[in-house]
């Protein structure tokens, strides 16, 4: 598959919302989408940090609008959705990028598991559901790109019944995904999450469970939208190990390199745009290999 950006279907009227765009991958992706000529809504949970991140982009003449958005806060999500509906009139692309991890590269504490799940999974889901009615049903198809991680792939789960549930597209429901998350958080509370047999991912477990849930939700949502004939695609993108604050500067690639590929995926020509796909870097993964 050729991932170069070509055959532009978009214009300056095309609106892309990027969450957690004041730094790291989100910021680089917001800049790249604006460089391609879209109008970008750069969102940040801290207004001042958002403004500081947008100022140099605007100074280059890029169409960047800043808006406050804390994806883990229901009131903030509702305010944002109302503003997007009333003042902007809708959106074409949503990049769910905002996320947290509190672990060092080689540690695995679950002390902040609630915040991690509330931000990385519930936050992305809450925002997506709030914005779904606002996507333009354009012939080019609107797009949701969830920045996820291969740490949340099924091959990281060793509990056979959990794996079977997540693999069974017909049995899997949003309620089942949420109950998996609730079970993990309950085990964190009672200290049993790491017992043999629980079978959760072994690396950055709370973060991995958040991405496992995000990946499963993305697949379900893609099916749901397709079944209802909605012109909105839903795909996940794992950028790989990237040098940002999240990795304390470790990694094999820069946020700008990630932004090149992320923007290409977000801007794929309508005829080549899949839905329900997990991209590991720029390679779509076979479901059986997840
Ligand atoms: P960073 O830690 O550099 O940036 C995270 C961004 O998310 C910040 O802008 C942060 O805002 C924002 N954020 C955190 N919580 C919230 C919230 N509640 N509401 C709104 N924004 C919030 O991370 P990266 O750039 O590395 O990560 C970006 C995405 O890429 C994430 O989804 C991550 O899981 C994913 N990823 C990263 C990899 C890597 O190696 N770096 C590998 C695989 C996936 P603030 O500045 O206010 O804290």
């Amino acid at each position: 598959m050729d991932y170069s950006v070509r055959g532009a279907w978009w214009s300056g009227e095309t609106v892309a919302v990027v969450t957690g765009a004041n730094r790291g991958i989100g910021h680089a992706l917001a800049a790249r989408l604006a460089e391609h000529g879209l109008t970008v809504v750069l969102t940040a949970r801290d207004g001042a940090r958002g403004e500081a991140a947008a100022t140099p982009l605007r100074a280059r003449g890029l169409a960047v609008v800043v808006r406050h958005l804390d994806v883990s806060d229901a009131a903030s999500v509702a305010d944002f959705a109302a503003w997007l509906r009333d003042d902007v009139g809708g959106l074409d692309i949503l990049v769910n990028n905002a996320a947290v991890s509190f672990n060092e590269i080689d540690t695995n504490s679950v002390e902040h598991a609630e915040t991690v799940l509330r931000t990385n999974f519930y936050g992305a889901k809450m925002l997506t559901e709030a914005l779904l009615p606002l996507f333009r049903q354009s012939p080019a198809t609107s797009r949701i790109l969830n920045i996820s991680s291969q740490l949340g792939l099924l091959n990281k789960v060793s509990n056979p019944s959990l794996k079977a549930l997540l693999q069974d597209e017909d049995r899997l429901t949003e309620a089942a995904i949420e109950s998996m998350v609730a079970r993990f958080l309950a085990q964190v509370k009672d200290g049993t999450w790491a017992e043999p047999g629980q079978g959760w991912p072994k690396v950055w477990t709370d973060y991995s469970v958040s991405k496992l849930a995000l990946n499963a939700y993305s697949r379900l949502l893609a099916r749901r939208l397709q079944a209802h004939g909605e012109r909105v695609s839903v795909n996940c993108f794992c950028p790989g190990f990237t040098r940002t604050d999240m990795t304390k500067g470790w990694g094999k690639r820069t946020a700008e390199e990630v932004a090149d590929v992320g923007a290409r995926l977000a801007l794929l020509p309508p005829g080549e745009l899949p839905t329900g796909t997990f991209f590991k870097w720029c390679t779509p993964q076979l479901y059986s290999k997840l």
Side-chain angles (χ1 to χ4, degrees):
M1 214 173 195
D2 175 8
Y3 288 98
S4 56
V5 172
R6 64 195 188 285
W9 51 267
W10 61 92
S11 70
E13 308 286 301
T14 306
V15 173
V17 171
V18 185
T19 66
N22 55 293
R23 62 187 166 106
I25 291 168
H27 184 252
L29 201 39
R32 193 64 82 249
L33 290 170
E35 285 162 2
H36 283 303
L38 289 87
T39 295
V40 172
V41 182
L42 182 158
T43 72
R45 62 175 158 175
D46 179 292
R49 286 202 285 262
E51 279 299 337
T55 301
L57 302 181
R58 286 201 192 115
R60 290 168 51 204
L62 300 176
V64 175
V65 181
V66 184
R67 195 72 191 175
H68 173 261
L69 174 60
D70 180 338
V71 299
S72 66
D73 177 22
S76 176
V77 168
D79 275 0
F80 180 77
W83 169 80
L84 198 65
R85 182 191 63 221
D86 299 341
D87 288 28
V88 182
L91 80 164
D92 303 279
I93 298 175
L94 169 63
V95 181
N96 280 310
N97 165 81
V100 287
S101 170
F102 295 87
N103 276 301
E104 301 291 325
I105 298 295
D106 53 357
T107 61
N108 194 22
S109 157
V110 292
E111 189 187 344
H112 300 282
E114 292 222 5
T115 305
V116 171
L117 269 303
R118 194 169 61 241
T119 308
N120 304 5
F121 168 57
Y122 286 112
K125 180 174 182 222
M126 178 162 62
L127 180 67
T128 300
E129 298 289 338
L131 300 192
L132 272 182
L134 307 182
F135 277 100
R136 294 179 179 134
Q137 299 280 316
S138 73
T141 301
S142 290
R143 293 114 195 271
I144 298 171
L145 188 64
N146 291 328
I147 312 297
S148 193
S149 170
Q150 53 194 308
L151 292 179
L153 291 184
L154 294 181
N155 62 13
K156 305 294 186 297
V157 176
S158 59
N159 178 317
S161 57
L162 176 58
K163 200 166 177 169
L165 170 75
L166 289 168
Q167 263 167 340
D168 185 345
E169 294 224 29
D170 295 323
R171 201 158 57 99
L172 188 63
T173 59
E174 284 181 30
I177 298 169
E178 299 210 355
S179 111
M180 168 189 82
V181 171
R183 192 164 70 251
F184 173 67
L185 289 174
Q187 290 176 8
V188 166
K189 265 204 181 114
D190 68 19
T192 58
W193 66 277
E195 282 178 3
Q198 305 291 26
W200 299 110
K202 290 190 172 22
V203 176
W204 282 19
T205 302
D206 53 5
Y207 174 89
S208 297
V209 171
S210 75
K211 298 296 191 181
L212 192 66
L214 180 64
N215 292 341
Y217 166 65
S218 303
R219 266 200 350 264
L220 269 189
L221 179 63
R223 271 173 68 126
R224 184 175 113 200
L225 295 176
Q226 220 166 20
H228 291 125
E230 302 272 347
R231 297 191 66 92
V232 184
S233 71
V234 188
N235 294 300
C236 289
F237 166 47
C238 173
F241 193 27
T242 307
R243 297 193 285 278
T244 65
D245 295 341
M246 185 175 279
T247 60
K248 307 284 186 294
W250 291 90
K252 61 177 182 182
R253 46 180 70 116
T254 64
E256 286 68 31
E257 289 167 321
V258 168
D260 286 339
V261 173
R264 285 179 215 163
L265 294 178
L267 298 175
L268 277 174
E272 294 174 27
L273 182 69
T275 192
T277 295
F278 183 98
F279 287 92
K280 184 172 164 186
W281 193 231
C282 39
T283 310
Q285 298 297 287
L286 278 180
Y287 186 63
S288 57
K289 299 261 183 242
L290 295 184

